[in-house]
Amino acid sequence: MFRRVVRASKFRHVFGQALKNDQCYDDIRVSRVTWDSSFCAVNPKFVAIIIEASGGGAFLVLPLLKTGRIDKAYPTVCGHTGPVLDIDWCPHNDHVIASGSEDCTVMVWQIPENGLVTPLAEPVVVLEGHSKRVGIITWHPTARNVLMSAGCDNLIIIWNVGTGEAMIQLEDMHPDVIFSACWSRNGALICTACKDKNIRVIDPRKEKIVAEKDKAHDGARPMRAIFLADGNIFTTGFSRMSERQLALWNPKSMEEPISVHELDTSNGVLLPFYDADTNIVYLCGKGDSSIRYFEITDEAPFVHYLNTFSSKEPQRGMGYMPKRGLDVNKCEIARFYKLHERKCEPIIMTVPRKQNEGKLEELLREVKSLRDLVTLQDRRIAKLEDEMSKVAI
């Protein structure tokens, strides 16, 4: 009986590679705030990094090509009066970025075409509505000028950035701090993970919870929840024994998970990054020195471990490049911007290209030349044999 030992996958040989020092961003004072956000946001033009700042909150915005050592006097975005907790680039305009801060405000900034020349302290719009610090910022994936913010006041606000007004306020849905909030692929639903260990799927237009799971992960440490392309939900969290877990859920039937996997006993929160085109989830643990990646499929066990990229330095945060910014000619399928204590290091994920076609042509050419040579030798031998027979007579 035939038994398949290794599962066939196009992404089984995906490998990560850190770029050389001259292609990194050096001498950056990465923020030390104890908040479990990624501290970094990337788009095809800029990389933004939350940094340590005295007397308020600030973040750097660097053009992607400005690698090497960053001067301490390099201009920053510095309009917040408290530490910045989260930043996110607008998917519809590569020069617009939003930031949430401990000063309870959300600010939206317009970055000049070639990056900052002087410090930027005047935002395009200030969004005020939270009573406690704002820890989560995320733009709507399909609608322009729509921004979601979640604060430690257990409140989610959906803003119209064009007018600076709150369109929807989702109150009394979360009894505790919201750990993560994520739009569905078309932006119709929101998935949240809360400190009460519940995963909620919310329809913001109807302002009601359409699906909920109690104690998705039993551990007390923070959870993360993201939507996948097929509408399922992928979560990371901790078990009762403080083991890191990942799980897959169907929002139409949340009683039992589709799949649950336990990873290890490290205490760093796992930040999931999802690639909808390849159906790969990358898990970057805070304080880890590795990136694990898994493929999501329709066959059991549904979440398939692919590989791990490991390096020496632990990561303080992680930025994830949208597909628009990748070099597809080099078979690049993902790019991360890993934050060290004083550095930002790009890591590229590539799928090795099949070399068989070119090699086959080369081998065929070699075989043809050898056959031609053999034919020539055969003719010479026949001619010599003919001459020998004439001499013998």
Side-chain angles (χ1 to χ4, degrees):
M1 178 181 171
F2 175 75
R3 181 171 175 269
R4 190 169 58 188
V5 179
V6 179
R7 190 182 67 89
S9 170
K10 289 182 285 187
F11 307 107
R12 198 154 52 87
H13 300 292
V14 170
F15 68 95
Q17 185 177 11
L19 297 186
K20 294 176 181 175
N21 280 338
D22 60 344
Q23 294 173 287
C24 297
Y25 308 86
D26 271 318
D27 210 14
I28 296 169
R29 304 182 310 279
V30 178
S31 175
R32 295 177 176 273
V33 175
T34 55
W35 181 254
D36 292 316
S37 75
S38 57
F39 290 161
C40 182
V42 194
N43 71 14
K45 291 186 178 178
F46 300 102
V47 53
I49 302 165
I50 302 174
I51 58 168
E52 283 284 297
S54 55
F59 58 95
L60 274 175
V61 175
L62 304 169
L64 283 187
L65 296 177
K66 186 173 176 54
T67 54
R69 185 179 173 277
I70 307 301
D71 195 331
K72 284 186 171 64
Y74 193 87
T76 60
V77 181
C78 53
H80 285 287
T81 56
V84 178
L85 300 180
D86 199 14
I87 49 178
D88 193 30
W89 287 103
C90 176
H92 306 103
N93 185 340
D94 286 341
H95 294 273
V96 173
I97 187 170
S99 59
S101 167
E102 280 193 10
D103 63 9
C104 310
T105 63
V106 177
M107 294 185 181
V108 180
W109 311 84
Q110 177 83 32
I111 306 299
E113 183 69 35
N114 297 316
L116 298 178
V117 181
T118 57
L120 183 61
E122 289 297 319
V124 177
V125 63
V126 179
L127 306 173
E128 296 177 320
H130 288 283
S131 59
K132 291 186 180 179
R133 60 182 182 170
V134 182
I136 299 166
I137 295 289
T138 177
W139 290 91
H140 195 285
T142 55
R144 198 182 182 95
N145 283 343
V146 177
L147 178 69
M148 173 171 62
S149 65
C152 292
D153 51 4
N154 313 339
L155 174 67
I156 290 177
I157 303 179
I158 297 172
W159 305 90
N160 181 340
V161 174
T163 61
E165 296 174 349
M167 294 189 293
I168 299 168
Q169 293 197 28
L170 302 174
E171 300 178 83
D172 305 323
M173 291 187 178
H174 301 87
D176 217 323
V177 177
I178 301 163
F179 286 140
S180 79
C182 170
W183 293 101
S184 62
R185 193 156 161 75
N186 61 3
L189 299 171
I190 295 169
C191 177
T192 64
C194 181
K195 195 175 180 179
D196 67 354
K197 304 179 185 178
N198 286 18
I199 302 292
R200 294 173 176 84
V201 180
I202 301 167
D203 186 330
R205 291 174 182 82
K206 296 178 181 175
E207 297 187 27
K208 71 172 189 177
I209 298 169
V210 294
E212 186 172 0
K213 172 59 184 172
D214 299 335
K215 292 191 176 179
H217 296 278
D218 290 324
R221 290 190 57 74
M223 297 190 298
R224 286 285 185 280
I226 57 171
F227 270 111
L228 303 183
D230 59 4
N232 287 340
I233 295 169
F234 183 88
T235 63
T236 64
F238 292 80
S239 69
R240 190 178 283 108
M241 305 300 291
S242 293
E243 292 175 308
R244 292 199 290 194
Q245 289 181 325
L246 51 94
L248 192 62
W249 307 84
N250 182 351
K252 294 174 183 174
S253 175
M254 298 278 277
E255 290 81 20
E256 290 295 325
I258 299 170
S259 176
V260 178
H261 297 264
E262 291 184 346
L263 294 181
D264 52 30
T265 53
S266 179
N267 60 0
V269 175
L270 288 168
L271 305 177
F273 297 94
Y274 175 59
D275 181 353
D277 298 317
T278 58
N279 245 11
I280 295 178
V281 174
Y282 301 88
L283 298 183
C284 309
K286 280 236 171 181
D288 289 7
S289 56
S290 62
I291 301 171
R292 293 182 177 91
Y293 31 108
F294 299 80
E295 187 178 3
I296 314 294
T297 65
D298 295 330
E299 58 186 48
F302 305 103
V303 180
H304 305 271
Y305 170 75
L306 289 173
N307 212 334
T308 301
F309 166 79
S310 297
S311 55
K312 293 177 183 176
E313 294 285 327
Q315 55 228 17
R316 298 281 296 278
M318 194 70 76
Y320 182 61
M321 175 68 81
K323 268 293 170 60
R324 297 178 291 121
L326 301 182
D327 187 349
V328 292
N329 292 324
K330 293 181 180 176
C331 302
E332 195 177 339
I333 63 166
R335 191 189 308 159
F336 293 92
Y337 285 74
K338 174 181 173 178
L339 299 185
H340 300 236
E341 198 168 338
R342 304 278 298 186
K343 184 170 87 167
C344 175
E345 177 185 47
I347 296 166
I348 59 172
M349 297 285 180
T350 52
V351 179
R353 181 181 279 136
K354 284 187 178 179
Q355 304 291 341
N356 297 353
E357 292 177 17
K359 195 158 186 178
L360 187 62
E361 287 177 13
E362 189 183 329
L363 288 169
L364 285 170
R365 283 196 298 271
E366 195 173 339
V367 167
K368 187 177 181 299
S369 65
L370 285 170
R371 278 181 179 158
D372 291 344
L373 192 63
V374 167
T375 306
L376 191 64
Q377 296 288 359
D378 285 345
R379 284 176 184 166
R380 283 182 182 172
I381 290 168
K383 191 175 179 182
L384 285 170
E385 285 177 345
D386 191 40
E387 287 179 8
M388 284 170 64
S389 63
K390 285 177 182 177
V391 169
I393 292 167

